[in-house]
Amino acid sequence: MNNQERLLRVIPGGAHTYSRGFDQFPSNAPQILERGEGAYVWDPEGNKYLDYGMALRAVTLGYAYPSVVEAAYREILKGNNLTRASTTELRAAELIVDLIPSADMVKFAKNGSNVTTGAAKVARAYTGRRYICIPRQHPFFSFDDWFIGTTALTRGIPSDHAASTLVFDYGNIASLEKLFNEHPGQIAGVMLEPATTLLPCPAACQHKLSYENPCHQCRHNGSNFLHAVQGLCRANGALFILDEMITGFRWHLQGAQVYFGVEPDLSTFGKGMANGFSVAALVGRREIMEVGSISQPGAERTFLLSTTHGGEMSGLGAFIETVKVYRERDVCRHLWHYGEKLREGLLSAAKDCGLQNHFSLDGAPVLMNYVTRDANGAVSMEFRTLFSQEMVRRGVLMPWITLSLAHGDHELDLTLQAARGAFSVYAKALTDGIGKYLEGPAVKPVFRRFN
């Protein structure tokens, strides 16, 4: 029995996140990993891979970053989880409130899903309204039914659990206005990511996205999609909620909300904020967050986030140290600059192999996605799998593109060398047919109704 079979025997799906499932990787990818260090991971047989998965985008400094590991260990030696709030918990709360301009208060949790669901509850409690609006183009907000029930995966979810979630189109403000018109006085909040590979910038904007030229300095900034959503929420008494699970601690240390110059009522953070340790945060304006308070005599209570491990000291110590490293080493600048070099190198290598019409990169340099196309120019999961397969063959694990401080010039050279080899196979497959080169099934979307 191989490792994949052993995993599937004891874990539904073979992993604790569907994005780690075997159907998300080419057949020659390592079935299981042993450890990670810096920008690299190793399987149990000792095979080493340069990694661009980076723990589903949770690791931004590099695996096992020494000072972060040491900070977490020091907290473990203090007891790790105490009977009342800890001094570490207080330090972490004060740090994030000082760091994020829109944050007056915070509730910590262990998963991003916990805090996005918490944000939806806060919005409903604060406004007394029913509906939460989300963009259909954003792939994931929560494992809870209010979100999953809007996807193709509705098995096990009563239909009324998602009935209070409304869907609009990112970048199309008219689609959101339509929801407000159809449900006047009933929308509690609008939740969206500030940016994915889809950007909020208006079509007329020629502003080149970079670390040194944030969007809040652009003359078109006031007309970007995020400002339009913010204005619509303000005009209709709904809360403007930004999910910064992925954009946070990448676009800008203070969040993509600062990069794009908007002021959410509530925000959620996670993933890279503690360099792989399990920490998530719901932050927001005091008057809103205090719906979860117990210090206002006579006020009706809202049972907000109440998690045994939300104040776990090891993760919060890791968060405190991660912010320290970000400040000392200007991590976000590095992520942007490395992304710019990687973009230029990959596109140049693709062009050299005649693939400029078949391989492209969407999104800003700090958060890119590669898009693969077949001989007819149609987006192809088979060719995406082939490219990933050939990168694995050359020692690079690139299911998607996540950057870290540990990715440096040496890693860039390794990546581009592997890409040139992968692109040469890609070009042959366009001519000879992909069946001659693809060794297993194509990767599949996570949100599909049937296996």
Side-chain angles (χ1 to χ4, degrees), residues 11 29 32 41 68 88 123 143 181-182 215 225 229 255 261 272 279 312 329 357 361 383 420-421 444:
I11 304 171
I32 195 168
V41 291
V68 174
T88 304
F143 51 54
N181 291 334
E182 290 173 347
C215 282
F225 182 66
V229 174
V279 179
E312 187 178 34
R329 302 198 59 182
N357 296 323
L361 292 164
F383 275 93
R420 284 188 283 271
K444 299 177 181 178

Side-chain angles (χ1 to χ4, degrees), residues 156-176:
I157 301 175
S159 58
D160 58 340
H161 283 208
S164 58
T165 305
L166 306 175
V167 178
F168 65 98
D169 291 306
Y170 184 89
N172 182 351
I173 197 64
S175 69
L176 183 57

Side-chain angles (χ1 to χ4, degrees), residues 7-81:
L7 286 165
L8 290 168
R9 185 172 66 88
V10 293
I11 304 171
H16 284 86
T17 309
Y18 284 110
S19 296
R20 287 189 171 102
F22 70 89
D23 58 354
Q24 302 301 295
F25 295 85
S27 60
N28 68 335
Q31 295 179 353
I32 195 168
L33 296 173
E34 181 78 16
R35 68 184 184 93
E37 182 179 338
Y40 298 88
V41 291
W42 286 259
D43 67 17
E45 289 72 43
N47 298 306
K48 178 182 179 182
Y49 301 89
L50 172 59
D51 188 23
Y52 281 92
M54 301 309 291
L56 310 187
R57 301 187 175 93
V59 173
T60 49
L61 302 181
Y63 292 110
Y65 195 86
S67 69
V68 174
V69 172
E70 291 163 6
Y73 180 61
R74 288 194 298 270
E75 298 299 331
I76 292 172
L77 294 179
K78 293 179 184 178
N80 201 37
N81 207 341

Side-chain angles (χ1 to χ4, degrees), residues 103-120:
D104 295 325
M105 302 184 82
V106 60
K107 286 284 279 190
F108 289 117
K110 305 307 288 182
N111 297 289
S113 293
N114 298 142
V115 293
T116 53
T117 295

Side-chain angles (χ1 to χ4, degrees), residues 22 24-30 385-386 388-390 392 397 438 441 443:
F22 70 89
Q24 302 301 295
F25 295 85
S27 60
N28 68 335
T385 309
L386 178 67
S388 182
Q389 167 190 291
E390 294 305 312
V392 168
L397 189 59
L438 185 60
V443 298

Side-chain angles (χ1 to χ4, degrees), residues 337-411:
H337 287 184
Y338 185 90
E340 288 165 356
K341 290 185 287 187
L342 180 63
R343 176 192 285 277
E344 181 181 352
L346 285 175
L347 294 180
S348 176
K351 185 177 181 180
D352 288 345
C353 290
L355 299 177
Q356 62 270 26
N357 296 323
H358 301 278
F359 182 92
S360 59
L361 292 164
D362 285 348
V366 75
L367 194 62
M368 295 182 291
N369 175 53
Y370 60 88
V371 179
T372 53
R373 298 180 183 275
D374 62 20
N376 297 318
V379 174
S380 169
M381 295 298 278
E382 287 187 322
F383 275 93
R384 183 180 182 89
T385 309
L386 178 67
F387 175 73
S388 182
Q389 167 190 291
E390 294 305 312
M391 293 296 279
V392 168
R393 193 183 309 283
R394 293 159 178 79
V396 179
L397 189 59
M398 189 183 271
W400 49 82
I401 300 176
T402 302
L403 312 178
S404 79
L405 182 63
H407 288 88
D409 290 341
H410 177 64
E411 286 68 35

Side-chain angles (χ1 to χ4, degrees), residues 408-429:
D409 290 341
H410 177 64
E411 286 68 35
L412 181 65
D413 289 343
L414 289 176
T415 305
L416 297 182
Q417 181 179 350
R420 284 188 283 271
F423 286 141
S424 68
V425 176
Y426 194 135
K428 293 176 184 177

